[in-house]
Amino acid sequence: MKFPLIHRNQDLLRSTFKKKRVFLLIFGLFTALLSINAFFKPLVNFDNIWLDFAVKKWSVTSPADPNIVVIDIDDPSLQAMTSLVGRWPWPRSVHAELIEQILLQTPQAVVFDILFSEPDIYRPDADQYLSEVIESSNNVFLPILHFQSAQAHLFPKLSEYPDTVGLSPPSELNGQNQQTRANLLLPNAIVPSAWKVGTINFSSDHDGVGRRYQVEHQIGEWRVDSLPTKVARYLGAVIPEQDHIILDWRTSDIQTNMDGRLVPYSTFSYAAVYKAISEETPFIEPGFFTDKIVLIGATATGLHDIKNTPISTQFPGVYILATAIDNLLHDQKLTALSDSTEWIIGFFSLCLITLGLLFSKRIVPVALAFGVLMVSYFLASYFLVSAKYLMVVNSPLTILSTYFISILIMQYLQRQQEYNYAIDIFGRFMDPNVVHQLVDSGQTEQTLHAKSCKVTVLFSDIRNFTTLSERHTPLEIVKLLDDYFSLQVNVIFTHHGTLDKFIGDAIMAFWGAPLENDNQEIEAVEAALAMVDKLEEFRHQQNLPEFNIGIGIHTGEAVVGAIGGEQRYDYTVIGDTVNVASRVEGITKNRCHILVSASTRDACSDHFDFTEQGSYTLKGREKPVVLFTPSRKQPS
């Protein structure tokens, strides 16, 4: 048989293929976006918002090395030292006196975070004193600074700088890299023979926040150790073979310095230490600096050595230097997950979302699952920071959320199209709620194909319709039928039945298709009883006491599907079950309102009371059938 719906099914099939192509296109597009995001990092600033938060939270669990101490040139020190040595910058002899006494306690290293770039022409003896103290020891380290300049050609060649700078030339020297020039701010106040230097160039990321410290500073193809690397290498640490490290910050065991700032390392005011050493007061215990790494730097507001970091927007540079040394000594740097790992995680999440959207019929479970995925993403990233790994969250979740919403919108539009298609086909046969169930279960196409199944068929016919027609005009009869049919069809739909057709003044309906219904007999009988109740209302409303109906119900196997010709079709049920139900309805005449067959009665005998009406031989059947009148059970 050639179905009249074949053309519409072909259109729907073509539409389905088109939607699959659109879906694959969207999937491919977002896969590409994940790839771009993972390998090119266009949203790195957005990602850093979350990572900075996690890093700051976990920094409280990272203990600072107790052997690293800071002598702080803070605001109180500048004020206190004025009466002793004058305004800043102080004579270099002050620093010489300080470190000379510290060196007597055999520290591991003394590290200056102060640039001695210009000789003191008014106090050359002070510079000479500092040089002598530094040269007498092999563990005093000084900073150098590389200034980027558009006029680099005006500055010396790197090959012309003293060997004590520690510049490493490229493996192959050629004419071009031999001509490399740079503006290096060196500790010129100290004799070059005393230099143990490293760079303190601390560069912020694109968002202005500093998160990493250079292992080696690169100038063209030349390299020079950073100051933390120089110190850590001297102290025997294994230096990682990479350009920079992502700093693992410390905020545990913090203390408050004199101006109220929280500091991560043991910190002493420069003025207090200087006074204790010069006056030999017990402010610092004898041997306190033994085996310590002593950093001397400034946090005073006027000296402008404040940086923006994940820990604080005003983090003193000396503590950044201390953190870098601490990280290198203990190999506790942070490590970003590789680009390929981030891509795999993102793509795996994309596939999970796709499977959820494809196989779930309801939005709430999928939305909850996506919410769990998002929370899991954040939790995984958060706890990975405790293991010193950084996993980006914000940008991949933004891409995945956009993908999720895009597919939801596409599925919603597709579902609306399917629903409109189903309403167009099934809306005149069944309750819209049932149509929704068909669309949600994806059974609209399968429903159109003929299949054999158990159904319960109901026939309802108006008694004495010919006499009724003789008493009313045709328009009155049509209006009467419209009102009556609307009333009874609503009853059928309320009880989840499928309207088959109107046959003149008769109604044919069935249960058990297109959706399977284990309670089909119960709902069919309940619908019949409700139709009789509505009959009484209709009689009263229309003032037609003689208006009456008969209803026949039978349950059995039948063929259900879209059946008809090219120009017209019906979603209908055919088979002997239909004939029996029709014949049973005919027997109700002058007997009762409702008769049901034994097969229907047997399936719902626990829900209704049945009165046997005898055995009848139906036209076209050899064996007689026993019929029953149903009634609602009376409360006991």
mmCIF file of all heavy atoms in Angstrom, residues 133-150:
data_model
loop_
_atom_site.group_PDB
_atom_site.id
_atom_site.type_symbol
_atom_site.label_atom_id
_atom_site.label_comp_id
_atom_site.label_asym_id
_atom_site.label_seq_id
_atom_site.Cartn_x
_atom_site.Cartn_y
_atom_site.Cartn_z
ATOM 1 N N VAL A 133 83.590 44.939 51.418
ATOM 2 C CA VAL A 133 82.812 43.972 52.203
ATOM 3 C C VAL A 133 82.253 42.889 51.297
ATOM 4 O O VAL A 133 82.320 41.685 51.611
ATOM 5 C CB VAL A 133 81.679 44.676 52.977
ATOM 6 C CG1 VAL A 133 80.759 43.647 53.629
ATOM 7 C CG2 VAL A 133 82.254 45.620 54.020
ATOM 8 N N ILE A 134 81.678 43.289 50.136
ATOM 9 C CA ILE A 134 81.082 42.316 49.215
ATOM 10 C C ILE A 134 82.159 41.408 48.632
ATOM 11 O O ILE A 134 81.980 40.188 48.516
ATOM 12 C CB ILE A 134 80.308 43.044 48.102
ATOM 13 C CG1 ILE A 134 79.091 43.768 48.682
ATOM 14 C CG2 ILE A 134 79.868 42.061 47.013
ATOM 15 C CD1 ILE A 134 78.332 44.614 47.691
ATOM 16 N N GLU A 135 83.312 42.013 48.290
ATOM 17 C CA GLU A 135 84.368 41.229 47.648
ATOM 18 C C GLU A 135 84.992 40.231 48.620
ATOM 19 O O GLU A 135 85.531 39.195 48.209
ATOM 20 C CB GLU A 135 85.436 42.170 47.085
ATOM 21 C CG GLU A 135 86.394 41.498 46.125
ATOM 22 C CD GLU A 135 87.278 42.505 45.416
ATOM 23 O OE1 GLU A 135 87.400 43.653 45.908
ATOM 24 O OE2 GLU A 135 87.840 42.150 44.356
ATOM 25 N N SER A 136 84.893 40.534 49.906
ATOM 26 C CA SER A 136 85.475 39.630 50.908
ATOM 27 C C SER A 136 84.651 38.365 51.098
ATOM 28 O O SER A 136 85.092 37.441 51.774
ATOM 29 C CB SER A 136 85.596 40.360 52.254
ATOM 30 O OG SER A 136 84.309 40.643 52.782
ATOM 31 N N SER A 137 83.475 38.368 50.509
ATOM 32 C CA SER A 137 82.595 37.200 50.655
ATOM 33 C C SER A 137 82.200 36.693 49.283
ATOM 34 O O SER A 137 82.255 37.421 48.287
ATOM 35 C CB SER A 137 81.346 37.583 51.457
ATOM 36 O OG SER A 137 80.430 36.513 51.484
ATOM 37 N N ASN A 138 81.809 35.426 49.219
ATOM 38 C CA ASN A 138 81.379 34.864 47.936
ATOM 39 C C ASN A 138 79.869 34.610 47.883
ATOM 40 O O ASN A 138 79.380 33.913 47.003
ATOM 41 C CB ASN A 138 82.119 33.547 47.663
ATOM 42 C CG ASN A 138 81.768 32.470 48.702
ATOM 43 O OD1 ASN A 138 81.155 32.775 49.727
ATOM 44 N ND2 ASN A 138 82.167 31.248 48.429
ATOM 45 N N ASN A 139 79.114 35.136 48.835
ATOM 46 C CA ASN A 139 77.679 34.848 48.870
ATOM 47 C C ASN A 139 76.815 36.105 48.994
ATOM 48 O O ASN A 139 75.728 36.069 49.560
ATOM 49 C CB ASN A 139 77.352 33.882 50.005
ATOM 50 C CG ASN A 139 77.684 34.436 51.371
ATOM 51 O OD1 ASN A 139 78.370 35.455 51.490
ATOM 52 N ND2 ASN A 139 77.211 33.761 52.419
ATOM 53 N N VAL A 140 77.302 37.218 48.476
ATOM 54 C CA VAL A 140 76.500 38.449 48.408
ATOM 55 C C VAL A 140 76.129 38.675 46.951
ATOM 56 O O VAL A 140 77.009 38.718 46.076
ATOM 57 C CB VAL A 140 77.265 39.660 48.967
ATOM 58 C CG1 VAL A 140 76.416 40.928 48.834
ATOM 59 C CG2 VAL A 140 77.647 39.421 50.427
ATOM 60 N N PHE A 141 74.834 38.814 46.705
ATOM 61 C CA PHE A 141 74.317 38.884 45.337
ATOM 62 C C PHE A 141 73.675 40.245 45.094
ATOM 63 O O PHE A 141 72.963 40.788 45.965
ATOM 64 C CB PHE A 141 73.306 37.763 45.094
ATOM 65 C CG PHE A 141 73.899 36.387 45.213
ATOM 66 C CD1 PHE A 141 73.986 35.761 46.455
ATOM 67 C CD2 PHE A 141 74.391 35.734 44.097
ATOM 68 C CE1 PHE A 141 74.545 34.490 46.577
ATOM 69 C CE2 PHE A 141 74.949 34.476 44.202
ATOM 70 C CZ PHE A 141 75.028 33.852 45.445
ATOM 71 N N LEU A 142 73.899 40.762 43.883
ATOM 72 C CA LEU A 142 73.439 42.095 43.511
ATOM 73 C C LEU A 142 72.526 42.013 42.282
ATOM 74 O O LEU A 142 72.702 41.148 41.421
ATOM 75 C CB LEU A 142 74.630 43.004 43.202
ATOM 76 C CG LEU A 142 75.658 43.173 44.318
ATOM 77 C CD1 LEU A 142 76.888 43.896 43.785
ATOM 78 C CD2 LEU A 142 75.043 43.909 45.500
ATOM 79 N N PRO A 143 71.576 42.933 42.173
ATOM 80 C CA PRO A 143 70.662 42.917 41.037
ATOM 81 C C PRO A 143 71.180 43.749 39.861
ATOM 82 O O PRO A 143 71.920 44.714 40.038
ATOM 83 C CB PRO A 143 69.388 43.535 41.600
ATOM 84 C CG PRO A 143 69.886 44.520 42.607
ATOM 85 C CD PRO A 143 71.152 43.923 43.187
ATOM 86 N N ILE A 144 70.808 43.331 38.679
ATOM 87 C CA ILE A 144 70.985 44.151 37.480
ATOM 88 C C ILE A 144 69.640 44.238 36.789
ATOM 89 O O ILE A 144 68.740 43.404 37.014
ATOM 90 C CB ILE A 144 72.056 43.581 36.522
ATOM 91 C CG1 ILE A 144 71.650 42.186 36.038
ATOM 92 C CG2 ILE A 144 73.415 43.567 37.182
ATOM 93 C CD1 ILE A 144 72.615 41.604 35.003
ATOM 94 N N LEU A 145 69.494 45.231 35.943
ATOM 95 C CA LEU A 145 68.207 45.476 35.287
ATOM 96 C C LEU A 145 68.432 45.753 33.817
ATOM 97 O O LEU A 145 69.336 46.518 33.459
ATOM 98 C CB LEU A 145 67.502 46.665 35.954
ATOM 99 C CG LEU A 145 66.018 46.863 35.670
ATOM 100 C CD1 LEU A 145 65.198 45.684 36.172
ATOM 101 C CD2 LEU A 145 65.527 48.151 36.349
ATOM 102 N N HIS A 146 67.649 45.103 32.982
ATOM 103 C CA HIS A 146 67.721 45.346 31.549
ATOM 104 C C HIS A 146 66.598 46.288 31.162
ATOM 105 O O HIS A 146 65.418 45.972 31.302
ATOM 106 C CB HIS A 146 67.600 44.022 30.774
ATOM 107 C CG HIS A 146 67.503 44.207 29.285
ATOM 108 N ND1 HIS A 146 66.779 43.364 28.472
ATOM 109 C CD2 HIS A 146 68.047 45.162 28.459
ATOM 110 C CE1 HIS A 146 66.875 43.768 27.223
ATOM 111 N NE2 HIS A 146 67.637 44.862 27.192
ATOM 112 N N PHE A 147 66.972 47.457 30.649
ATOM 113 C CA PHE A 147 65.981 48.420 30.177
ATOM 114 C C PHE A 147 65.781 48.226 28.678
ATOM 115 O O PHE A 147 66.738 48.309 27.897
ATOM 116 C CB PHE A 147 66.445 49.857 30.438
ATOM 117 C CG PHE A 147 66.165 50.334 31.831
ATOM 118 C CD1 PHE A 147 67.208 50.522 32.730
ATOM 119 C CD2 PHE A 147 64.871 50.586 32.252
ATOM 120 C CE1 PHE A 147 66.962 50.960 34.014
ATOM 121 C CE2 PHE A 147 64.609 51.025 33.534
ATOM 122 C CZ PHE A 147 65.659 51.212 34.426
ATOM 123 N N GLN A 148 64.543 47.960 28.282
ATOM 124 C CA GLN A 148 64.226 47.892 26.863
ATOM 125 C C GLN A 148 64.306 49.301 26.278
ATOM 126 O O GLN A 148 63.763 50.250 26.859
ATOM 127 C CB GLN A 148 62.821 47.311 26.645
ATOM 128 C CG GLN A 148 62.639 45.892 27.165
ATOM 129 C CD GLN A 148 63.339 44.863 26.303
ATOM 130 O OE1 GLN A 148 63.766 45.158 25.187
ATOM 131 N NE2 GLN A 148 63.472 43.649 26.836
ATOM 132 N N SER A 149 64.979 49.415 25.140
ATOM 133 C CA SER A 149 65.161 50.755 24.560
ATOM 134 C C SER A 149 65.045 50.680 23.050
ATOM 135 O O SER A 149 65.549 49.746 22.420
ATOM 136 C CB SER A 149 66.522 51.331 24.944
ATOM 137 O OG SER A 149 66.750 52.563 24.290
ATOM 138 N N ALA A 150 64.369 51.666 22.494
ATOM 139 C CA ALA A 150 64.276 51.749 21.038
ATOM 140 C C ALA A 150 65.590 52.217 20.429
ATOM 141 O O ALA A 150 65.793 52.135 19.215
ATOM 142 C CB ALA A 150 63.142 52.693 20.637
#
